[in-house]
Amino acid sequence: MSTSLVLVINCGSSSIKFAVIDPQFGDEVLTGQAERLFSEGAEIAFKQNGEKTRVSLPNAGHDEALVAVVEFIQQQPGLGESIKAVGHRVVHGGEFFRESMLITDEVADKIGQCNHLAPLHNPANLAGIETARKVFPDLPHTAVFDTAFHQSMPAKSYIYPLPYKLYEENAVRRYGFHGTSYRYVCVQAATMLKRPLEDSAMVIAHLGNGASVCAVKNGESMETSMGMTPNEGIVHGTRSGSIDPSIHEYLAKQLDMNIDQINDMLWKESGLLGISGLSNDCRTIEEAAEEGHERSQLALEIYSYRLARTIASMVPALGRLDGVVFTGGIGENSDVIRAETLRQLQFLGIDVDAARNKATIRGGSGEITTDASPVKALVVPTNEELMIAQDAVRFVEAAQPVGAE
Ligand code: AMP
């Protein structure tokens, strides 16, 4: 076991994901998840050397759960002493942060000032930071922001065509998310494309339960499909993605829905789930579609079409296109979505190799276009935890901010 490990913490509103990682090779020494916090059924599952341990913690909140994580770590011989830094995933850094930051009181205060931009996520991220700083007072804590990578976007990408004072006075603008994933994937993809990162142009599609697309030029985000919130853009598992903004008014007047009901519908009952009426899970939908379930077939069709349309719309931000890259649970595993999306992008010079596409699943990475294809398509498994660990450990070595390569 390496003697320089990082504890990576991802605090959600009722869950905490954590991992102890070797930042050099990405080996996970310990992983786990606290779930159903603030309820009777709160519990933590630890996974180490393939073995799972469950600890029940009725009604535990972030504080109690993190203390239990630390106790578990300290019971493992040599593990506690090997942890040299803590890395925290933070969803929203607003316009304050364009890179990962060593957490000081001032940085924590600014993260709090972004709470209104991500009310479900940032307060939970901050709770995790505050507890972890108490239980690990001697270690450097680093905040790694989902939004930071997109701070390189030009104003034409991030300003909405709304009254400008909404941006100036109310922070209404496009921020983008999944930045940590894009920062990791673009480096791997440039190597696979045999191009220096500083001279590369790619569109990356991070397709998970939440999904987005990003135009990355020379290692910097130029444009992305998510906006002020992680709903804008392509179809998600349960979120609608972009729709006509005046649908809100129609629903309010015709169906007497209030803003919370409309919001719930757009965030929790739409997307793949809304269209299929069956599930938000792409695997389930693919299986049902195969068996002839028409609304699942339609869900896959709309998903791929909107994805292809959005990928193509990213090209003006790049000026040229070296490759299209798939990542995230769906991007890494669904050869069906990839094939259907890329079929509609043939006009860009993407010539899919059906056999390579079918064979690249379950954590595999590689090229899925033919050798002669002018524009390449790649699959690159993402590793946000490794990125967070690497940012965090750099603060142990040099006390300076780190950010986009
Ligand atoms: P993530 O949020 O990145 O974990 O991705 C979750 C999504 O990946 C879910 O919609 C899963 O159904 C999807 N997914 C995982 N494995 C597969 C697979 N073999 N085929 C299709 N979709 C998959």
Side-chain angles (χ1 to χ4, degrees):
M1 186 167 65
S2 166
T3 53
S4 186
L5 301 173
V6 177
L7 172 61
V8 174
I9 298 176
N10 181 355
C11 252
S13 51
S14 64
S15 70
I16 305 175
K17 286 190 195 140
F18 53 89
V20 178
I21 293 179
D22 177 341
Q24 202 179 353
F25 306 109
D27 298 339
E28 293 179 332
V29 179
L30 169 75
T31 59
Q33 188 159 3
E35 284 178 305
R36 296 184 288 280
L37 296 177
F38 306 101
S39 81
E40 259 309 290
E43 65 166 14
I44 310 185
F46 298 92
K47 197 169 161 199
Q48 196 180 21
N49 303 324
E51 256 180 53
K52 269 198 175 168
T53 313
R54 283 184 190 280
V55 178
S56 173
L57 282 178
N59 302 312
H62 296 106
D63 270 27
E64 293 94 328
L66 273 179
V67 168
V69 170
V70 172
E71 278 171 6
F72 186 89
I73 288 172
Q74 277 161 351
Q75 283 161 14
Q76 315 306 310
L79 188 56
E81 305 86 80
S82 303
I83 296 175
K84 297 291 188 281
V86 185
H88 297 265
R89 177 187 178 208
V90 179
V91 166
H92 222 301
E95 287 191 328
F96 291 122
F97 303 111
R98 48 187 310 126
E99 57 203 353
S100 301
M101 295 295 290
L102 184 67
I103 300 173
T104 58
D105 290 345
E106 193 192 344
V107 168
D109 182 61
K110 288 205 170 113
I111 294 171
Q113 288 178 45
C114 297
N115 279 356
H116 67 107
L117 292 169
L120 294 180
H121 295 101
N122 266 39
N125 299 156
L126 203 51
I129 287 171
E130 275 160 9
T131 306
R133 286 177 85 199
K134 269 186 263 160
V135 290
F136 289 112
D138 300 325
L139 296 183
H141 291 253
T142 301
V144 181
F145 303 92
D146 281 14
T147 50
F149 185 65
H150 302 295
Q151 283 294 302
S152 52
M153 288 196 298
K156 67 179 178 188
S157 301
Y158 70 74
I159 297 290
Y160 284 115
L162 291 169
Y164 195 74
K165 73 172 182 354
L166 283 175
Y167 166 58
E168 290 179 303
E169 295 171 16
N170 302 94
V172 177
R173 55 158 282 179
R174 307 182 66 248
Y175 292 95
F177 299 85
H178 290 143
T180 310
S181 173
Y182 290 128
R183 186 152 60 93
Y184 175 80
V185 170
C186 73
V187 175
Q188 311 299 317
T191 307
M192 288 161 73
L193 291 167
K194 300 187 184 66
R195 297 202 70 92
L197 183 65
E198 306 70 40
D199 181 18
S200 64
M202 59 184 96
V203 177
I204 307 176
H206 178 116
L207 311 176
N209 239 324
S212 70
V213 168
C214 182
V216 184
K217 187 175 182 183
N218 306 338
E220 292 192 334
S221 170
M222 290 290 119
E223 177 61 278
T224 191
S225 61
M226 282 179 171
M228 170 138 176
T229 76
N231 198 347
E232 192 181 336
I234 54 178
V235 179
H236 309 271
T238 63
R239 301 174 218 153
S240 61
S242 293
I243 56 160
D244 183 339
S246 294
I247 288 177
H248 284 73
E249 184 208 0
Y250 182 85
L251 296 175
K253 289 186 177 159
Q254 298 293 320
L255 302 183
D256 206 19
M257 289 172 80
N258 65 36
I259 194 68
D260 292 330
Q261 290 168 325
I262 294 172
N263 223 26
D264 262 8
M265 190 195 79
L266 295 178
W267 282 77
K268 298 180 189 159
E269 297 160 21
S270 300
L272 288 175
L273 172 65
I275 306 165
S276 70
L278 191 70
S279 172
N280 64 315
D281 192 298
C282 186
R283 231 170 329 190
T284 309
I285 293 176
E286 282 184 14
E287 281 160 16
E290 190 120 317
E291 286 161 14
H293 189 265
E294 284 181 14
R295 293 251 303 274
S296 291
Q297 291 167 350
L298 182 64
L300 295 179
E301 200 181 338
I302 295 172
Y303 189 96
S304 309
Y305 170 61
R306 287 198 164 223
L307 176 57
R309 213 174 70 171
T310 307
I311 290 173
S313 77
M314 295 279 147
V315 179
L318 295 172
R320 71 159 206 263
L321 184 62
D322 300 330
V324 172
V325 189
F326 292 89
T327 194
I330 296 174
E332 292 167 30
N333 290 295
S334 176
D335 56 294
V336 174
I337 293 279
R338 291 191 308 240
E340 194 46 29
T341 305
L342 293 174
R343 186 184 61 75
Q344 298 171 79
L345 292 172
Q346 258 172 349
F347 72 94
L348 288 174
I350 300 173
D351 183 18
V352 178
D353 182 316
R356 283 180 183 170
N357 179 42
K358 231 178 169 31
T360 313
I361 47 169
R362 288 193 206 96
S365 72
E367 211 172 292
I368 56 171
T369 31
T370 60
D371 290 340
S373 182
V375 174
K376 304 291 180 198
L378 308 174
V379 176
V380 177
T382 193
N383 197 339
E384 289 159 286
E385 288 76 17
L386 179 60
M387 269 279 87
I388 296 173
Q390 289 183 346
D391 283 0
V393 84
R394 276 193 266 172
F395 280 111
V396 181
E397 290 151 13
Q400 60 184 22
V402 289
E405 320 284 340

